Amino acid sequence: MNTIAFLGMVFFLIVACSDDNSEPNDFPNDDVQNIELPPSDAATPIISGNMIVIRGNGFTESSEIWFQTSSIRSSGIKADIISYSDESISFIAPQMSGDCDVILKQDDKTQSLGTIYLENRDLESLEEHIYVIGYSNTSSEEGNLTPSLYSYANQSGNFQLKNELPQGEIVKFALPENNGSGNVYYFNIQRQSNTKKVNLCRYNILTQQEAIICTDWLNKFSGASNGMAIGMIENTLCGLEASIDKGFEIISFGNDGKTTLLKKAFPYAEINGKRVVQFYCEDDNLLFSYDSEKRCVLVTGKIRFEDDKETFDCLLSLNMKTGDVKLLRDEQDTYYYEVLVTRQGIVLLEIAKDTDKTIIKTINPETLETISVLDEVNESMTFSIYGEKSNSIYWDVSGSGYHVSEYNFDSKQISVSDSSLPHIETLFTIRY
C-alpha cells in the first residue's frame, strides 16, 4: 500500500510540474472562438488593399494579424488593423498574391485562423468610367419605371445606352467598388400595393448581372427614423446604423447579406457632451464617406439634441481607431452638406438651401475644421460625385431634359453636357 501511495504521489508531482511548464498554446479554450473567414479562391480572390473582416469572439486591442506564404513563412507580413469588436476584427489585406496563412498573435500566443487567397492588382492603371442610371420614359405609372444604365463620355457630353436594369426604382445614388471588380451597389425599391420592399443590390457592369444582398435592411421606408447609410471602407461594402439604444455602429455586409459589427464606440450621449434624441439620414443621401488616412467615417444627416425643439443639418465624423465623435451642425438652417473624397483631400460641399450657390472647401476629417475654401460657384451641386482621373465634380441638372454638369478643380470652370436624358436618377464613377 505504501508503494502504491508513493507512486501516486510521484505521478501527481509530474503532472503538476508539467502544468507549470505549459506554454499558452496548450490552452485551446483561451483561443479566439467561432472563427469565420470570408470565402476566397483563385476565381474570387480578395484584392490586396481591401478591408478583410474575420468573425470571431475574443479579439482584443493587442491583436495582431500576420500573413505568411511558403516563400515568406519565416517572417510574414503584418496587416494594418482597422478596428475590432466583440464579434470581429477588420484589417487591410497586404500586398501579396496566392494562398496565405492568416496568423493571430495576441497576449503572447499564436493562433492559426485559416487561409485566404489574395490577388495583388495594379489599381492605379485601371480606367475610370462615368455611368448614369436614368429613365428613357417618365410617364409610366409610379412603380413600373424600368431604369437603364448609360455610359457618359465627359469629353463629348454624350450618353450611350448599355442595358436595362432589373425593374424597380433606384434611390438617388449608386455606390461603386473601385478595385476592378465592376461591382456597384444601390437600393432598389419595389412597390407592391401599399407597401415598399427595399432591396440592397449588387450589379456587375462586366457580367450585367444583379444580385440581391439583403432585403429590408434599410427600414426608413417602413416608418423607422433611424440613421442608416452605406459606404465603402477600403473598398468593402459597409453600413452605418444609428439608434437611441445603441448609438452609432459600423457594420460590414457579407455576400450573403450577413452583417458583422466592426465598431461600437459612438454612443449618442458623447457628442459635445449632449444627448442625441434623434439622428437620421436624408432619403436622398444615404451614403457615408471614408477617409483612409485618418480612419474616419463621415456621414451627413439631421440631428436633434435633448434640449432642441427641431433638427439641424449636420456632418458627423466617427473615428474608427479612437472612437471619437466630432460634429459640424448648421444651426442657421442655411446649407445642405455633402462630402467627397478627392485628390485635394476631403471636400465638403456647403449647398445653399435658398439660392443656387455651393461653397467648396477642404476639411480635416478628424476635427471637421475648415482647411481652405477652394471656390464658391453659383450652382446647386446636389447629389454630386467625383471623378479622380478628370479631377472633376459631376452632378445632374434639369431643364429641357436632364443634363450633366462638370466642375473641374484645375480650371475652376463649369461645363454642361449637350446631350440629355428624360430623367437622371444618379451618376457614379467606377474603375475597372
Side-chain angles (χ1 to χ4, degrees), residues 185-215:
Y185 301 88
Y186 49 76
F187 287 111
N188 175 303
I189 300 179
Q190 296 178 342
R191 300 177 186 271
Q192 299 173 348
S193 300
N194 295 325
T195 62
K196 293 180 180 180
K197 181 180 179 181
V198 183
N199 300 319
L200 175 57
C201 299
R202 178 182 64 245
Y203 180 80
N204 189 281
I205 292 175
L206 303 178
T207 63
Q208 299 184 8
Q209 293 182 339
E210 184 189 56
I212 295 176
I213 296 176
C214 60
T215 299

Side-chain angles (χ1 to χ4, degrees), residues 8 11 22 27 31 38 84 92 114-115 176 238 242 248 288 306 331 342 366 390:
F11 176 78
S22 295
F27 294 95
D31 288 350
Y84 74 94
I92 297 176
T115 302
C238 295
F248 297 95
F288 68 75
E306 201 166 29
E331 299 188 24
T342 75
E366 281 187 299
S390 60

Side-chain angles (χ1 to χ4, degrees), residues 34-231:
N34 306 316
I35 297 168
E36 294 182 33
L37 274 68
S40 60
D41 53 33
T44 56
I46 294 175
I47 308 304
S48 296
N50 281 19
M51 181 175 72
I52 296 178
V53 179
I54 294 180
R55 294 178 63 90
N57 306 113
F59 295 109
T60 70
E61 190 174 2
S62 68
S63 298
E64 295 181 0
I65 299 292
W66 289 76
F67 279 71
Q68 294 180 344
T69 64
S70 57
S71 60
I72 55 173
R73 191 167 301 279
S74 58
S75 56
I77 296 178
K78 184 179 178 181
D80 187 2
I81 303 292
I82 296 176
S83 65
Y84 74 94
S85 71
D86 295 338
E87 60 184 58
S88 73
I89 189 167
S90 63
F91 50 90
I92 297 176
Q95 303 297 314
M96 301 171 68
S97 292
D99 282 317
C100 301
D101 296 327
V102 185
I103 307 298
L104 170 68
K105 295 182 180 180
Q106 178 174 295
D107 299 329
D108 298 324
K109 61 179 295 186
T110 298
Q111 179 182 351
S112 176
L113 301 183
T115 302
I116 285 178
Y117 194 95
L118 298 182
E119 181 181 324
N120 193 0
R121 291 180 182 172
D122 180 12
L123 302 183
E124 293 300 320
S125 65
L126 296 177
E127 186 178 351
E128 186 174 71
H129 307 264
I130 304 174
Y131 283 95
V132 170
I133 296 177
Y135 301 96
S136 58
N137 185 350
T138 59
S139 61
S140 300
E141 182 181 352
E142 184 181 32
N144 293 321
L145 296 175
T146 301
S148 297
L149 182 69
Y150 300 82
S151 63
Y152 174 71
N154 62 314
Q155 293 182 344
S156 64
N158 293 326
F159 303 93
Q160 182 180 358
L161 177 63
K162 291 298 182 181
N163 57 281
E164 290 186 344
L165 298 176
Q167 184 169 332
E169 299 173 53
I170 307 297
V171 185
K172 292 292 184 184
F173 62 84
L175 177 66
E177 285 182 5
N178 284 303
N179 58 9
S181 65
N183 289 326
V184 61
Y185 301 88
Y186 49 76
F187 287 111
N188 175 303
I189 300 179
Q190 296 178 342
R191 300 177 186 271
Q192 299 173 348
S193 300
N194 295 325
T195 62
K196 293 180 180 180
K197 181 180 179 181
V198 183
N199 300 319
L200 175 57
C201 299
R202 178 182 64 245
Y203 180 80
N204 189 281
I205 292 175
L206 303 178
T207 63
Q208 299 184 8
Q209 293 182 339
E210 184 189 56
I212 295 176
I213 296 176
C214 60
T215 299
D216 290 333
W217 175 80
L218 184 70
N219 59 26
K220 288 180 64 64
F221 300 104
S222 303
S225 61
N226 292 340
M228 306 184 80
I230 61 173

Side-chain angles (χ1 to χ4, degrees), residues 24 35 114 120 165 228 237 252 255 272 274 316 325 376:
I35 297 168
N120 193 0
L165 298 176
M228 306 184 80
L237 179 65
S252 69
N255 291 331
N272 294 354
K274 299 179 180 179
L316 285 171
V325 183
E376 292 187 19

Side-chain angles (χ1 to χ4, degrees), residues 235-293:
N235 258 321
T236 301
L237 179 65
C238 295
L240 176 141
E241 300 176 341
S243 65
I244 297 296
D245 297 332
K246 297 180 180 179
F248 297 95
E249 295 184 342
I250 309 296
I251 64 167
S252 69
F253 290 97
N255 291 331
D256 56 357
K258 188 175 185 178
T259 60
T260 303
L261 179 66
L262 299 182
K263 190 73 173 179
K264 182 182 179 180
F266 314 111
Y268 269 16
E270 291 187 7
I271 302 180
N272 294 354
K274 299 179 180 179
R275 176 168 178 77
V276 179
V277 294
Q278 187 179 26
F279 175 84
Y280 62 93
C281 300
E282 295 285 3
D283 294 350
D284 294 339
N285 188 22
L286 302 175
L287 295 181
F288 68 75
S289 299
Y290 176 74
D291 178 72
S292 296
E293 181 181 355

Side-chain angles (χ1 to χ4, degrees), residues 282 301-302 310-314 330-337 350-358 380 382:
E282 295 285 3
K302 286 184 175 289
E310 57 184 299
T311 59
F312 296 91
D313 286 273
C314 72
D330 177 20
E331 299 188 24
Q332 305 302 317
D333 197 30
T334 304
Y335 298 108
Y336 300 110
Y337 294 128
E350 293 183 344
I351 305 163
K353 293 183 177 181
D354 299 329
T355 61
D356 289 334
K357 185 178 79 170
T358 300
S380 183
T382 55

